[in-house]
Amino acid sequence: MSQEIAVIGSPDFTTGFRLAGVRKFQNVPEDEKDERLDAAVEETLADDDVGIVVMHDEDLAHLSRNVRQSVEQSIEPTLVTLGSGSAGGGGLREQIKRAIGIDLMEDENQ
């Protein structure tokens, strides 16, 4: 069974993914994130068709402690954050490794 990618965030953030073919998304306007982001994340995590959840890294600050812990500890679906610095080097590498269980970027010479 193939799983889908879901995107959660502001309409500006989700639009690019939707244009690229991502069908599952939750638009949460910037001024409503403190009230609505927890519910959007919980709903997406409960969706059995979702294998990867993409969010902007700054949006994690808007999550309650319990929801943030659920997201960070979730193996399936796996959270991938994008934004200022999280996608650089080791951060993205670790997220991919956690998502699929192997290190795709492993140096063969080691």
Side-chain angles (χ1 to χ4, degrees), residues 3 45 50-53 69-80 95-101:
Q3 293 185 309
L45 289 178
V50 174
I52 297 175
V53 178
Q69 279 183 327
S70 295
V71 166
E72 290 172 349
Q73 294 173 353
S74 176
I75 295 180
E76 191 175 299
T78 298
L79 175 71
V80 175
Q95 290 175 356
I96 292 170
K97 191 168 145 181
R98 190 175 94 200
I100 63 174

Side-chain angles (χ1 to χ4, degrees), residues 49-69:
D49 294 333
V50 174
I52 297 175
V53 178
V54 179
M55 291 179 64
H56 194 280
D57 61 347
E58 293 176 359
D59 287 347
L60 294 178
H62 294 277
L63 295 175
S64 67
R65 175 187 287 173
N66 291 337
V67 174
R68 187 176 315 135
Q69 279 183 327

